Amino acid sequence: MPAVTETGDLYSSPVAFVYVFNLIIGAGALTMPKAFAGAGWIVSTVLICVFDVFFLSFITSTFMVEAMAAANALLVVQRREKKEYDGLVSQSVTQSSNVAEVEPLLNSYKVDMKENNLYDIKVRVEMGQMAKLFYNKWGLKLFYLCLVVYLYGDLAIYAAAVPKSLTQISWYGAKSLNRSSGCLTNGTSDELAPCWGTLSTGNVYRIYLLIFSLALGPFSFFNVQKTKYLQYLTTLLRWKAFIMMIVLATMLIAEQKQTTTHAPVAADLSGVPSLFGVCVYSFMCQHSLPSLITPVRNKSRLTLLFVSDFTIILIFYAVLSFTAMFAFGDLKDLYTLNFVIYSNAYVRYFLALFPVFTLSTNFPIISVTLRDNLKNLFYREGRPYPWVIDRLVFPLVAILPPILVAFITQNLEFLVGVTGSYAGAGVQYLIPASLVYCGRKKLRTLLGCYDNKHRSLLRHRTWLFFVYAWTFICVALVTVYHIISKK
């Protein structure tokens, strides 16, 4: 797969700041308040501040920039090696050259490899291309396997969130219920409650899921791309919804209608595993950084860009979660569902339908991405897929498993927690760290040195092992918790 040269318009660092911010503030933010409250506000604050922002997510973001620069350098090396080789072959055809005549060419080549602009990020090299440049055969397979599993979890979350929102708004549209009578929770009793006549809420959810699958599933058979106007619209809707939720929750706290009936938990270690998965999912941006960072005009202040982004995102998540904890005694796993009982019809329907609009536009894109990565995972050199396998089997394999998972469970906190704790941890933490390690090793072997000007601020090898160790410890603890709690 060839690297893609960035031909679009370059933009400034402030624009890149906005792009990265919008990328991170997505669907994961809607599951953050419940996970935050479940682990307790003290434990959650420490975990988010110390580990997921200023240590892990920030470190691995700088690792991705360094890996991008290393990949650009390796591409330059490969092009010059090919040019040098072609020149030597041409020289041997036109004249009988000896070793002494070839040596100056090789010496000048080595000197050129140390030039200052070798590590300029001029070519957009996506994560999959970096894996092909730096990993061996089995490393590449593991990379695609991790990415595919993450995308499966992503699709399952989307497939459950949209029908669940539609079911909730249908319930409150048909019935006038007070604040304490929720429509859907994680218990089975609510799934058996009547919604449309004799239909239970669980069956209505499955009907909406079937409609969702039939409407958006076929897009996995084609090539679908989001337009910039659709991006503008979803960004506007996202900010409007989040600001509206923070303001409404703050108003509820000021009115003291909810805070007198409950007090948020300060610490509950049983909620840490879910919070870990939600945090990974909510701070995920590493896989999309090549597309966002390559067009930046001045890349000398990328570290400052990440510091600013993660600091403001930390404040944003804290405000959203704290206002939610103190405003609502029973937080839903999809935070927008807490507002379907609001008296204002516009607010009620807008927030309830917000996940429907934003997540539905992303579902076809992710399904196409998953389909293509499945092809790469099982691809065998020189053996193209038959038409039936390529055009029918792979699209079906991409969309049917996550839809089946959504039919089985609508517990979004669990889906987000599992997706983030396992495949998400691999994509966000392990892959960036391993790309940097393999990139440094390969370039040192080729050039005899490693002078990457985009090297991570936390460049010592100890940080690589810290990321590995922390990830494995967290995944192990989450696994033990799921086994003990029989999840």
Side-chain angles (χ1 to χ4, degrees):
M1 183 175 64
V4 181
T5 302
E6 185 62 46
T7 57
D9 295 335
L10 301 179
Y11 45 73
S12 63
S13 296
V15 175
F17 166 86
V18 174
Y19 284 168
V20 173
F21 189 87
N22 287 337
L23 173 67
I24 297 176
I25 302 295
L30 298 178
T31 61
M32 177 67 75
K34 182 175 177 61
F36 199 96
W41 62 271
I42 294 179
V43 174
S44 299
T45 302
V46 172
L47 186 64
I48 292 178
C49 291
V50 177
F51 294 110
D52 282 285
V53 178
F54 292 110
F55 276 89
L56 291 180
S57 294
F58 170 75
I59 291 174
T60 54
S61 295
T62 60
F63 282 171
M64 280 302 301
V65 174
E66 179 179 345
M68 290 161 54
N72 273 260
L74 183 57
L75 290 174
V76 173
V77 171
Q78 291 176 343
R79 285 196 298 266
R80 293 185 180 180
E81 282 181 338
K82 185 178 183 305
K83 183 178 179 181
E84 190 78 13
Y85 175 77
D86 292 342
L88 292 176
V89 171
S90 176
Q91 184 183 41
S92 65
V93 173
T94 57
Q95 61 182 20
S96 62
S97 58
N98 53 36
V99 177
E101 292 172 328
V102 176
E103 189 68 25
L105 291 174
L106 296 178
N107 286 337
S108 64
Y109 167 75
K110 291 294 184 181
V111 173
D112 289 340
M113 288 299 96
K114 297 180 181 180
E115 61 188 11
N116 188 47
N117 62 355
L118 179 63
Y119 292 92
D120 284 346
I121 304 176
K122 296 180 179 179
V123 176
R124 187 175 76 242
V125 187
E126 299 293 348
M127 188 178 277
Q129 174 66 4
M130 283 187 271
K132 289 187 176 182
L133 289 172
F134 298 142
Y135 293 158
N136 58 24
K137 176 183 176 181
W138 289 107
L140 188 61
K141 292 292 185 182
L142 289 175
F143 163 79
Y144 277 116
L145 181 62
C146 182
L147 185 61
V148 163
V149 173
Y150 173 76
L151 293 174
Y152 267 128
D154 220 10
L155 288 178
I157 293 167
Y158 286 13
V162 172
K164 188 169 186 176
S165 296
L166 291 172
T167 304
Q168 189 82 342
I169 198 64
S170 297
W171 171 277
Y172 282 100
K175 306 288 183 179
S176 297
L177 299 177
N178 57 39
R179 188 181 300 275
S180 63
S181 58
C183 176
L184 286 175
T185 64
N186 297 332
T188 56
S189 60
D190 289 316
E191 290 189 4
L192 299 176
C195 187
W196 289 345
T198 59
L199 288 176
S200 66
T201 54
N203 287 331
V204 172
Y205 163 82
R206 296 178 182 93
I207 291 174
Y208 275 128
L209 177 57
L210 179 61
I211 296 173
F212 175 84
S213 304
L214 294 176
L216 297 180
F219 283 100
S220 64
F221 293 86
F222 308 101
N223 292 322
V224 182
Q225 294 182 347
K226 291 182 286 187
T227 66
K228 63 179 181 179
Y229 300 108
L230 184 60
Q231 285 282 3
Y232 294 156
L233 177 61
T234 55
T235 299
L236 178 63
L237 292 176
R238 179 189 298 119
W239 276 105
K240 182 177 180 179
F242 282 126
I243 293 175
M244 189 179 293
M245 286 186 288
I246 291 174
V247 171
L248 292 176
T250 304
M251 292 172 59
L252 284 175
I253 295 172
E255 295 171 4
Q256 295 184 350
K257 291 183 178 180
Q258 298 292 324
T259 54
T260 56
T261 61
H262 75 281
V265 178
D268 186 354
L269 296 182
S270 64
V272 171
S274 294
L275 179 65
F276 172 71
V278 170
C279 285
V280 172
Y281 191 75
S282 299
F283 288 102
M284 181 69 70
C285 67
Q286 284 73 6
H287 59 300
S288 296
L289 287 181
S291 298
L292 299 181
I293 298 302
T294 305
V296 177
R297 187 177 294 108
N298 181 8
K299 300 180 179 67
S300 62
R301 297 184 177 181
L302 291 179
T303 300
L304 178 61
L305 183 149
F306 288 126
V307 170
S308 303
D309 259 317
F310 282 112
T311 301
I312 294 179
I313 289 169
L314 169 65
I315 296 173
F316 180 87
Y317 279 157
V319 172
L320 183 70
S321 300
F322 272 98
T323 55
M325 283 193 302
F326 285 94
F328 298 99
D330 178 25
L331 283 169
K332 307 297 183 182
D333 49 6
L334 195 67
Y335 185 41
T336 52
L337 299 181
N338 280 94
F339 296 90
V340 294
I341 43 77
Y342 201 76
S343 59
N344 187 290
Y346 174 77
V347 172
R348 182 170 68 247
Y349 283 100
F350 175 79
L351 291 179
L353 294 175
F354 163 67
V356 177
F357 295 135
T358 56
L359 302 185
S360 295
T361 58
N362 286 338
F363 187 88
I365 310 302
I366 298 175
S367 63
V368 171
T369 302
L370 175 58
R371 179 201 68 191
D372 293 341
N373 279 281
L374 286 172
K375 292 180 181 180
N376 289 329
L377 175 61
F378 296 103
Y379 180 72
R380 291 175 291 180
E381 193 69 32
R383 299 182 65 179
Y385 298 114
W387 185 89
V388 174
I389 302 296
D390 185 69
R391 298 298 181 90
L392 296 179
V393 174
F394 276 114
L396 289 174
V397 171
I399 61 173
L400 290 182
I403 291 175
L404 179 62
V405 170
F407 267 106
I408 295 174
T409 179
Q410 52 184 284
N411 189 334
L412 292 175
E413 184 183 14
F414 175 74
L415 289 175
V416 172
V418 170
T419 301
S421 299
Y422 294 100
V427 173
Q428 188 174 20
Y429 301 146
L430 298 183
I431 290 177
S434 62
L435 285 174
V436 166
Y437 176 81
C438 295
R440 291 175 181 176
K441 183 178 179 181
K442 192 159 190 174
L443 285 168
R444 282 197 182 101
T445 302
L446 287 173
L447 307 179
C449 63
Y450 184 73
D451 299 321
N452 192 340
K453 61 184 179 182
H454 291 292
R455 200 169 181 180
S456 173
L457 185 65
L458 304 171
R459 61 189 62 185
H460 197 273
R461 185 178 295 185
T462 303
W463 290 108
L464 294 175
F465 294 117
F466 171 78
V467 172
Y468 294 144
W470 171 252
T471 304
F472 283 120
I473 290 173
C474 287
V475 169
L477 291 176
V478 168
T479 302
V480 171
Y481 170 77
H482 287 318
I483 293 174
I484 294 176
S485 61
K486 297 180 180 180
K487 286 189 175 183

